[in-house]
Amino acid sequence: MAKPPTSGSRPSRFQILSFTGGGYLGRFSVGCLADLEKRSQAKIRDSVDFFAGTSIGGIVALALAADISVDKIAAAFERHGPRLFTRRRKPGPIANVWRLARNIFAAPYSNEILKELINELVGDDRRLGDLDRYVLIPAFNLRTGSIVWFRNYNPKCPDEPNYEFADAKVTDIALATSAAPTYFRPHDFKIYSRSTEAQASHDAGDYVDGGVFANCPDLRAHHEAVSVLQCKESIVNILALGTTTENIAEPTHNVRHWGLYYWLTNHRLTDVLMAAQQQNVVSILRERMNERYVRIDGEPAEAQLAYMGLDIAGAGAEETIHDLATATMQKIWNTDGQNADLQESLQNFGSSGNRVGDFGGS
């Protein structure tokens, strides 16, 4: 059994890094994180006690907790993204009907390619109990009809490993949280004990994406830190990275005709549910934590929307998302003084007694 995770040597600060779900738009989160590391000239992971993430955000959180570099994560996304999400046809009534018909009986994307991406990052045999930071990943168990929070700590006794999931493979946890309905098939897996006894196993269940109930895990991460791990709320700090999916506005001139076809095409139903969840969580935490809750997200320009989507990858998407992440971070670090409080919060997040690095600059 792996040793229980540790919060390190930062008794005055407990720092959470949380990632929202969003398909290939998770590349935006990785781009923002790369920018932060470039400015600090240090690994942000070294300042983090607790990682949380949903769907693609869960993959990123697990990879960082496994001490995988941000550059390696970005490279894996860029390499596997076009294979995972094949280029969609141009929008239009005929193309929309064709996509709906094609996906009636089977998920359109391959779990196996997603597994290749995850295995490239964390390996095939790394277990949840091997990670040396607190980790929290949501999924929904179809077999039991219940939400699940994958933890590598015991919620009833945080100083001990979580024996229920300690031997679960990180790859399986990542596949479970990212098995988005209508995109991927549910992920079922078994947990094999690594004890010296016979290789006992138990069926963990059939899981779909944690985004069905917690696409933005920031609030639950706060709850775990304060109520489960018994941290003083005043020392908890959260840096949350979005996927450009928090804000959405749809023209309402045809509202009377919004039937099943409208909601199921162009992922409108998914987009609205994701945005509503995030706005609810963000509003609560901003009111409760003030400057100790920092959330970074971007709003695409109209011209960028054609190259961005949960399942749009390739050179155009990569360039567009990278440019948006760069522009978002540049806006934060402008020198006109408008973002002084946000800059200070990011600097404080990089602090671990001795500051990791001096954020900001060009």
Side-chain angles (χ1 to χ4, degrees):
M1 180 65 62
K3 294 180 180 180
T6 175
S7 61
S9 57
R10 294 185 294 277
S12 63
R13 301 180 66 83
F14 188 86
Q15 310 213 122
I16 298 170
L17 185 56
S18 183
F19 295 91
T20 298
Y24 196 73
L25 294 173
R27 183 65 182 85
F28 173 84
S29 306
V30 176
C32 292
L33 196 61
D35 184 278
L36 285 174
E37 290 204 334
K38 180 180 179 181
R39 295 174 189 274
S40 68
Q41 297 184 356
K43 291 169 61 177
I44 299 300
R45 180 189 188 275
D46 293 339
S47 298
V48 177
D49 301 287
F50 188 112
F51 289 95
T54 301
S55 194
I56 190 69
I59 295 174
V60 176
L62 288 165
L64 290 171
D67 203 12
I68 306 303
S69 72
V70 176
D71 287 343
K72 185 174 180 179
I73 296 171
F77 282 12
E78 186 174 358
R79 181 162 48 255
H80 291 283
R83 297 177 57 231
L84 181 62
F85 297 121
T86 54
R87 183 177 295 276
R88 299 191 305 174
R89 294 189 178 189
K90 293 181 179 180
I94 296 177
N96 288 335
V97 170
W98 180 85
R99 279 195 297 272
L100 286 173
R102 182 191 64 174
N103 300 337
I104 286 177
F105 299 108
Y109 301 119
S110 168
N111 293 53
E112 292 305 313
I113 297 177
L114 183 59
K115 184 177 181 179
E116 289 179 24
L117 185 157
I118 298 166
N119 280 343
E120 179 178 313
L121 291 174
V122 300
D124 182 52
D125 197 44
R126 194 189 300 266
R127 308 301 175 97
L128 196 61
D130 295 337
L131 306 179
D132 67 353
R133 296 292 193 277
Y134 293 107
V135 173
L136 181 72
I137 308 292
F140 188 85
N141 190 331
L142 291 174
R143 193 174 306 172
T144 61
S146 58
I147 65 173
V148 175
W149 290 98
F150 294 110
R151 306 173 176 91
N152 62 342
Y153 54 93
N154 188 333
K156 297 181 179 179
C157 186
D159 290 334
E160 297 180 0
N162 186 342
Y163 291 96
E164 182 179 6
F165 297 120
D167 280 339
K169 290 186 177 182
V170 171
T171 296
D172 283 319
I173 303 300
L175 286 168
T177 192
S178 54
T182 75
Y183 293 89
F184 297 98
R185 69 174 185 271
H187 181 62
D188 62 291
F189 65 97
K190 294 182 178 180
I191 299 176
Y192 292 89
S193 172
R194 292 196 299 187
S195 68
T196 55
E197 301 174 3
Q199 289 293 305
S201 67
H202 67 274
D203 199 333
D206 298 286
Y207 293 93
V208 295
D209 197 316
V212 300
F213 71 96
N215 196 58
C216 180
D218 309 356
L219 184 60
R220 182 64 187 221
H222 175 273
H223 167 80
E224 295 283 310
V226 175
S227 299
V228 178
L229 300 177
Q230 298 295 303
C231 294
K232 291 183 179 179
E233 186 167 14
S234 61
I235 72 168
V236 176
N237 297 267
I238 299 178
L239 173 58
L241 294 171
T243 55
T244 77
T245 54
E246 183 177 334
N247 298 305
I248 181 173
E250 284 285 341
T252 58
H253 58 278
N254 290 323
V255 65
R256 295 182 180 180
H257 304 290
W258 285 11
L260 186 63
Y261 169 81
Y262 177 90
W263 284 109
L264 293 184
T265 54
N266 295 323
H267 312 299
R268 289 187 177 94
L269 179 59
T270 303
D271 291 347
V272 169
L273 294 176
M274 288 172 59
Q277 282 192 43
Q278 292 173 69
Q279 291 174 27
N280 178 52
V281 168
V282 170
S283 65
I284 292 171
L285 287 175
R286 282 181 174 158
E287 291 175 7
R288 180 160 188 164
M289 299 183 68
N290 298 312
E291 71 279 357
R292 291 182 295 107
Y293 177 67
V294 176
R295 183 169 176 83
I296 298 175
D297 210 346
E299 294 191 39
E302 186 71 26
Q304 294 175 312
L305 293 176
Y307 300 95
M308 298 181 64
L310 304 184
D311 60 345
I312 299 178
E318 178 70 22
E319 180 180 357
T320 300
I321 296 172
H322 176 271
D323 289 348
L324 180 58
T326 300
T328 299
M329 300 308 296
Q330 287 177 342
K331 184 177 180 180
I332 290 174
W333 294 113
N334 64 29
T335 57
D336 60 9
Q338 294 182 7
N339 293 317
D341 291 343
L342 177 56
Q343 292 175 12
E344 182 179 359
S345 295
L346 285 172
Q347 290 170 346
N348 289 336
F349 190 88
S351 173
S352 57
N354 295 317
R355 179 159 297 171
V356 171
D358 292 323
F359 286 76
S362 58

